[in-house]
PDB file of all heavy atoms in Angstrom:
ATOM      1  N   ARG A 188     103.505  37.708  84.012  1.00 98.00           N
ATOM      2  CA  ARG A 188     103.566  38.728  85.102  1.00 98.00           C
ATOM      3  C   ARG A 188     104.315  39.925  84.599  1.00 98.00           C
ATOM      4  O   ARG A 188     104.211  41.050  85.100  1.00 98.00           O
ATOM      5  CB  ARG A 188     104.228  38.099  86.320  1.00 98.00           C
ATOM      6  CG  ARG A 188     103.475  36.884  86.880  1.00 98.00           C
ATOM      7  CD  ARG A 188     104.181  36.273  88.116  1.00 98.00           C
ATOM      8  NE  ARG A 188     104.240  37.216  89.188  1.00 98.00           N
ATOM      9  CZ  ARG A 188     104.808  36.926  90.382  1.00 98.00           C
ATOM     10  NH1 ARG A 188     105.399  35.682  90.541  1.00 98.00           N
ATOM     11  NH2 ARG A 188     104.843  37.792  91.350  1.00 98.00           N
ATOM     12  N   ARG A 189     105.153  39.670  83.535  1.00 98.00           N
ATOM     13  CA  ARG A 189     105.917  40.765  83.028  1.00 98.00           C
ATOM     14  C   ARG A 189     105.915  40.638  81.472  1.00 98.00           C
ATOM     15  O   ARG A 189     106.239  39.580  80.921  1.00 98.00           O
ATOM     16  CB  ARG A 189     107.400  40.777  83.515  1.00 98.00           C
ATOM     17  CG  ARG A 189     108.228  41.824  82.898  1.00 98.00           C
ATOM     18  CD  ARG A 189     109.326  42.271  83.904  1.00 98.00           C
ATOM     19  NE  ARG A 189     110.249  43.311  83.449  1.00 98.00           N
ATOM     20  CZ  ARG A 189     110.176  44.277  82.542  1.00 98.00           C
ATOM     21  NH1 ARG A 189     109.159  44.315  81.774  1.00 98.00           N
ATOM     22  NH2 ARG A 189     111.076  45.199  82.435  1.00 98.00           N
ATOM     23  N   VAL A 190     105.615  41.719  80.762  1.00 98.00           N
ATOM     24  CA  VAL A 190     105.506  41.719  79.295  1.00 98.00           C
ATOM     25  C   VAL A 190     106.235  42.916  78.695  1.00 98.00           C
ATOM     26  O   VAL A 190     106.168  44.057  79.266  1.00 98.00           O
ATOM     27  CB  VAL A 190     103.988  41.730  78.850  1.00 98.00           C
ATOM     28  CG1 VAL A 190     103.860  41.745  77.297  1.00 98.00           C
ATOM     29  CG2 VAL A 190     103.189  40.564  79.389  1.00 98.00           C
ATOM     30  N   VAL A 191     106.883  42.709  77.638  1.00 98.00           N
ATOM     31  CA  VAL A 191     107.516  43.778  76.867  1.00 98.00           C
ATOM     32  C   VAL A 191     106.633  43.977  75.585  1.00 98.00           C
ATOM     33  O   VAL A 191     106.393  42.987  74.868  1.00 98.00           O
ATOM     34  CB  VAL A 191     108.973  43.467  76.455  1.00 98.00           C
ATOM     35  CG1 VAL A 191     109.486  44.615  75.486  1.00 98.00           C
ATOM     36  CG2 VAL A 191     109.790  43.462  77.708  1.00 98.00           C
ATOM     37  N   VAL A 192     106.206  45.147  75.345  1.00 98.00           N
ATOM     38  CA  VAL A 192     105.441  45.502  74.123  1.00 98.00           C
ATOM     39  C   VAL A 192     106.378  46.337  73.206  1.00 98.00           C
ATOM     40  O   VAL A 192     106.965  47.386  73.732  1.00 98.00           O
ATOM     41  CB  VAL A 192     104.202  46.340  74.461  1.00 98.00           C
ATOM     42  CG1 VAL A 192     103.449  46.775  73.175  1.00 98.00           C
ATOM     43  CG2 VAL A 192     103.228  45.461  75.245  1.00 98.00           C
ATOM     44  N   VAL A 193     106.560  45.960  71.940  1.00 98.00           N
ATOM     45  CA  VAL A 193     107.307  46.721  71.001  1.00 98.00           C
ATOM     46  C   VAL A 193     106.490  47.526  70.182  1.00 98.00           C
ATOM     47  O   VAL A 193     105.659  47.008  69.351  1.00 98.00           O
ATOM     48  CB  VAL A 193     108.223  45.745  70.123  1.00 98.00           C
ATOM     49  CG1 VAL A 193     109.047  46.540  69.136  1.00 98.00           C
ATOM     50  CG2 VAL A 193     109.083  44.851  71.003  1.00 98.00           C
ATOM     51  N   GLY A 194     106.568  48.840  70.302  1.00 98.00           N
ATOM     52  CA  GLY A 194     105.699  49.762  69.488  1.00 98.00           C
ATOM     53  C   GLY A 194     104.631  50.452  70.361  1.00 98.00           C
ATOM     54  O   GLY A 194     103.868  49.779  70.995  1.00 98.00           O
ATOM     55  N   ALA A 195     104.513  51.773  70.116  1.00 98.00           N
ATOM     56  CA  ALA A 195     103.520  52.503  70.889  1.00 98.00           C
ATOM     57  C   ALA A 195     102.480  53.193  69.892  1.00 98.00           C
ATOM     58  O   ALA A 195     101.998  54.291  70.221  1.00 98.00           O
ATOM     59  CB  ALA A 195     104.211  53.627  71.749  1.00 98.00           C
ATOM     60  N   GLY A 196     102.112  52.407  68.918  1.00 98.00           N
ATOM     61  CA  GLY A 196     100.920  52.771  68.131  1.00 98.00           C
ATOM     62  C   GLY A 196      99.705  52.258  68.820  1.00 98.00           C
ATOM     63  O   GLY A 196      99.699  51.823  69.980  1.00 98.00           O
ATOM     64  N   PHE A 197      98.639  52.246  68.075  1.00 98.00           N
ATOM     65  CA  PHE A 197      97.341  51.784  68.687  1.00 98.00           C
ATOM     66  C   PHE A 197      97.368  50.263  69.085  1.00 98.00           C
ATOM     67  O   PHE A 197      96.791  49.908  70.073  1.00 98.00           O
ATOM     68  CB  PHE A 197      96.113  52.059  67.746  1.00 98.00           C
ATOM     69  CG  PHE A 197      95.502  53.420  67.976  1.00 98.00           C
ATOM     70  CD1 PHE A 197      95.653  54.431  67.103  1.00 98.00           C
ATOM     71  CD2 PHE A 197      94.832  53.626  69.178  1.00 98.00           C
ATOM     72  CE1 PHE A 197      95.108  55.671  67.342  1.00 98.00           C
ATOM     73  CE2 PHE A 197      94.278  54.942  69.450  1.00 98.00           C
ATOM     74  CZ  PHE A 197      94.440  55.937  68.511  1.00 98.00           C
ATOM     75  N   ALA A 198      98.092  49.459  68.354  1.00 98.00           N
ATOM     76  CA  ALA A 198      98.196  48.070  68.717  1.00 98.00           C
ATOM     77  C   ALA A 198      98.955  47.912  70.043  1.00 98.00           C
ATOM     78  O   ALA A 198      98.518  47.238  70.941  1.00 98.00           O
ATOM     79  CB  ALA A 198      98.829  47.271  67.608  1.00 98.00           C
ATOM     80  N   GLY A 199     100.136  48.634  70.125  1.00 98.00           N
ATOM     81  CA  GLY A 199     100.912  48.569  71.333  1.00 98.00           C
ATOM     82  C   GLY A 199     100.277  49.114  72.533  1.00 98.00           C
ATOM     83  O   GLY A 199     100.307  48.577  73.655  1.00 98.00           O
ATOM     84  N   LEU A 200      99.576  50.278  72.322  1.00 98.00           N
ATOM     85  CA  LEU A 200      98.885  50.944  73.452  1.00 98.00           C
ATOM     86  C   LEU A 200      97.684  50.141  73.901  1.00 98.00           C
ATOM     87  O   LEU A 200      97.336  50.092  75.048  1.00 98.00           O
ATOM     88  CB  LEU A 200      98.590  52.352  73.116  1.00 98.00           C
ATOM     89  CG  LEU A 200      99.733  53.355  72.852  1.00 98.00           C
ATOM     90  CD1 LEU A 200      99.285  54.716  72.542  1.00 98.00           C
ATOM     91  CD2 LEU A 200     100.706  53.385  74.097  1.00 98.00           C
ATOM     92  N   GLY A 201      97.014  49.531  72.913  1.00 98.00           N
ATOM     93  CA  GLY A 201      95.896  48.719  73.201  1.00 98.00           C
ATOM     94  C   GLY A 201      96.311  47.527  74.110  1.00 98.00           C
ATOM     95  O   GLY A 201      95.642  47.189  75.136  1.00 98.00           O
ATOM     96  N   ALA A 202      97.401  46.893  73.683  1.00 98.00           N
ATOM     97  CA  ALA A 202      97.971  45.791  74.476  1.00 98.00           C
ATOM     98  C   ALA A 202      98.453  46.277  75.898  1.00 98.00           C
ATOM     99  O   ALA A 202      98.074  45.712  76.911  1.00 98.00           O
ATOM    100  CB  ALA A 202      99.143  45.124  73.711  1.00 98.00           C
ATOM    101  N   ALA A 203      99.260  47.335  75.924  1.00 98.00           N
ATOM    102  CA  ALA A 203      99.825  47.777  77.140  1.00 98.00           C
ATOM    103  C   ALA A 203      98.786  48.259  78.173  1.00 98.00           C
ATOM    104  O   ALA A 203      98.858  47.943  79.353  1.00 98.00           O
ATOM    105  CB  ALA A 203     100.891  48.897  76.873  1.00 98.00           C
ATOM    106  N   SER A 204      97.823  49.017  77.709  1.00 98.00           N
ATOM    107  CA  SER A 204      96.753  49.484  78.624  1.00 98.00           C
ATOM    108  C   SER A 204      95.940  48.427  79.196  1.00 98.00           C
ATOM    109  O   SER A 204      95.569  48.435  80.331  1.00 98.00           O
ATOM    110  CB  SER A 204      95.926  50.603  77.872  1.00 98.00           C
ATOM    111  OG  SER A 204      95.225  49.997  76.805  1.00 98.00           O
ATOM    112  N   THR A 205      95.707  47.402  78.380  1.00 98.00           N
ATOM    113  CA  THR A 205      94.920  46.245  78.829  1.00 98.00           C
ATOM    114  C   THR A 205      95.750  45.466  79.924  1.00 98.00           C
ATOM    115  O   THR A 205      95.203  45.045  80.967  1.00 98.00           O
ATOM    116  CB  THR A 205      94.536  45.298  77.704  1.00 98.00           C
ATOM    117  OG1 THR A 205      93.842  46.001  76.735  1.00 98.00           O
ATOM    118  CG2 THR A 205      93.696  44.085  78.189  1.00 98.00           C
ATOM    119  N   LEU A 206      96.996  45.268  79.628  1.00 98.00           N
ATOM    120  CA  LEU A 206      97.857  44.584  80.579  1.00 98.00           C
ATOM    121  C   LEU A 206      98.006  45.383  81.902  1.00 98.00           C
ATOM    122  O   LEU A 206      97.963  44.818  82.978  1.00 98.00           O
ATOM    123  CB  LEU A 206      99.226  44.416  79.984  1.00 98.00           C
ATOM    124  CG  LEU A 206      99.334  43.374  78.813  1.00 98.00           C
ATOM    125  CD1 LEU A 206     100.657  43.560  78.113  1.00 98.00           C
ATOM    126  CD2 LEU A 206      99.175  41.979  79.321  1.00 98.00           C
ATOM    127  N   HIS A 207      98.187  46.719  81.788  1.00 98.00           N
ATOM    128  CA  HIS A 207      98.329  47.534  82.963  1.00 98.00           C
ATOM    129  C   HIS A 207      97.104  47.523  83.853  1.00 98.00           C
ATOM    130  O   HIS A 207      97.252  47.372  85.056  1.00 98.00           O
ATOM    131  CB  HIS A 207      98.594  48.954  82.477  1.00 98.00           C
ATOM    132  CG  HIS A 207      98.782  49.935  83.548  1.00 98.00           C
ATOM    133  ND1 HIS A 207      99.920  50.011  84.409  1.00 98.00           N
ATOM    134  CD2 HIS A 207      97.995  50.961  83.937  1.00 98.00           C
ATOM    135  CE1 HIS A 207      99.782  50.922  85.236  1.00 98.00           C
ATOM    136  NE2 HIS A 207      98.702  51.596  85.025  1.00 98.00           N
ATOM    137  N   ARG A 208      95.928  47.511  83.216  1.00 98.00           N
ATOM    138  CA  ARG A 208      94.683  47.512  84.052  1.00 98.00           C
ATOM    139  C   ARG A 208      94.561  46.084  84.742  1.00 98.00           C
ATOM    140  O   ARG A 208      93.928  46.046  85.739  1.00 98.00           O
ATOM    141  CB  ARG A 208      93.478  47.751  83.131  1.00 98.00           C
ATOM    142  CG  ARG A 208      93.355  49.180  82.621  1.00 98.00           C
ATOM    143  CD  ARG A 208      91.952  49.356  82.060  1.00 98.00           C
ATOM    144  NE  ARG A 208      91.647  48.479  80.947  1.00 98.00           N
ATOM    145  CZ  ARG A 208      91.904  48.671  79.703  1.00 98.00           C
ATOM    146  NH1 ARG A 208      92.545  49.821  79.372  1.00 98.00           N
ATOM    147  NH2 ARG A 208      91.568  47.787  78.794  1.00 98.00           N
ATOM    148  N   ALA A 209      95.151  45.109  84.206  1.00 98.00           N
ATOM    149  CA  ALA A 209      95.112  43.755  84.774  1.00 98.00           C
ATOM    150  C   ALA A 209      96.206  43.548  85.840  1.00 98.00           C
ATOM    151  O   ALA A 209      96.309  42.415  86.402  1.00 98.00           O
ATOM    152  CB  ALA A 209      95.194  42.690  83.683  1.00 98.00           C
ATOM    153  N   GLY A 210      97.024  44.581  86.053  1.00 98.00           N
ATOM    154  CA  GLY A 210      98.095  44.436  87.089  1.00 98.00           C
ATOM    155  C   GLY A 210      99.361  43.870  86.600  1.00 98.00           C
ATOM    156  O   GLY A 210     100.188  43.526  87.310  1.00 98.00           O
ATOM    157  N   VAL A 211      99.500  43.628  85.217  1.00 98.00           N
ATOM    158  CA  VAL A 211     100.757  43.086  84.739  1.00 98.00           C
ATOM    159  C   VAL A 211     101.793  44.141  84.624  1.00 98.00           C
ATOM    160  O   VAL A 211     101.521  45.264  84.203  1.00 98.00           O
ATOM    161  CB  VAL A 211     100.481  42.453  83.338  1.00 98.00           C
ATOM    162  CG1 VAL A 211     101.746  41.889  82.724  1.00 98.00           C
ATOM    163  CG2 VAL A 211      99.383  41.360  83.426  1.00 98.00           C
ATOM    164  N   ASP A 212     103.051  43.776  84.922  1.00 98.00           N
ATOM    165  CA  ASP A 212     104.140  44.759  84.721  1.00 98.00           C
ATOM    166  C   ASP A 212     104.518  44.776  83.229  1.00 98.00           C
ATOM    167  O   ASP A 212     104.931  43.791  82.633  1.00 98.00           O
ATOM    168  CB  ASP A 212     105.344  44.209  85.562  1.00 98.00           C
ATOM    169  CG  ASP A 212     106.551  45.136  85.528  1.00 98.00           C
ATOM    170  OD1 ASP A 212     106.379  46.271  84.963  1.00 98.00           O
ATOM    171  OD2 ASP A 212     107.634  44.738  85.914  1.00 98.00           O
ATOM    172  N   VAL A 213     104.305  45.930  82.638  1.00 98.00           N
ATOM    173  CA  VAL A 213     104.507  46.006  81.168  1.00 98.00           C
ATOM    174  C   VAL A 213     105.378  47.302  80.864  1.00 98.00           C
ATOM    175  O   VAL A 213     105.236  48.299  81.483  1.00 98.00           O
ATOM    176  CB  VAL A 213     103.041  46.211  80.497  1.00 98.00           C
ATOM    177  CG1 VAL A 213     102.308  47.299  80.958  1.00 98.00           C
ATOM    178  CG2 VAL A 213     103.305  46.281  78.938  1.00 98.00           C
ATOM    179  N   THR A 214     106.285  47.024  79.906  1.00 98.00           N
ATOM    180  CA  THR A 214     107.143  48.099  79.426  1.00 98.00           C
ATOM    181  C   THR A 214     106.918  48.204  77.896  1.00 98.00           C
ATOM    182  O   THR A 214     106.908  47.184  77.195  1.00 98.00           O
ATOM    183  CB  THR A 214     108.580  47.823  79.692  1.00 98.00           C
ATOM    184  OG1 THR A 214     108.821  47.760  81.148  1.00 98.00           O
ATOM    185  CG2 THR A 214     109.501  48.890  79.070  1.00 98.00           C
ATOM    186  N   VAL A 215     106.706  49.412  77.430  1.00 98.00           N
ATOM    187  CA  VAL A 215     106.595  49.626  75.991  1.00 98.00           C
ATOM    188  C   VAL A 215     107.839  50.307  75.466  1.00 98.00           C
ATOM    189  O   VAL A 215     108.322  51.297  75.970  1.00 98.00           O
ATOM    190  CB  VAL A 215     105.352  50.650  75.703  1.00 98.00           C
ATOM    191  CG1 VAL A 215     105.215  50.806  74.166  1.00 98.00           C
ATOM    192  CG2 VAL A 215     104.110  50.050  76.327  1.00 98.00           C
ATOM    193  N   LEU A 216     108.408  49.661  74.382  1.00 98.00           N
ATOM    194  CA  LEU A 216     109.641  50.222  73.743  1.00 98.00           C
ATOM    195  C   LEU A 216     109.191  50.846  72.441  1.00 98.00           C
ATOM    196  O   LEU A 216     108.709  50.145  71.544  1.00 98.00           O
ATOM    197  CB  LEU A 216     110.651  49.092  73.561  1.00 98.00           C
ATOM    198  CG  LEU A 216     111.037  48.320  74.853  1.00 98.00           C
ATOM    199  CD1 LEU A 216     112.063  47.271  74.438  1.00 98.00           C
ATOM    200  CD2 LEU A 216     111.626  49.282  75.872  1.00 98.00           C
TER     201      LEU A 216
END
């Protein structure tokens, strides 16, 4: 329900955008 993503390159943004669309609370550092 809550995920921390480390890094805002394409891997991090790919993960975070997918989580965000699924309604998961995600923070990118």
Side-chain angles (χ1 to χ4, degrees):
R188 301 177 64 181
R189 181 153 181 15
V190 178
V191 173
V192 175
V193 181
F197 269 110
L200 294 180
S204 60
T205 302
L206 292 166
H207 180 69
R208 289 194 302 272
V211 177
D212 184 7
V213 56
T214 298
V215 182
L216 306 179

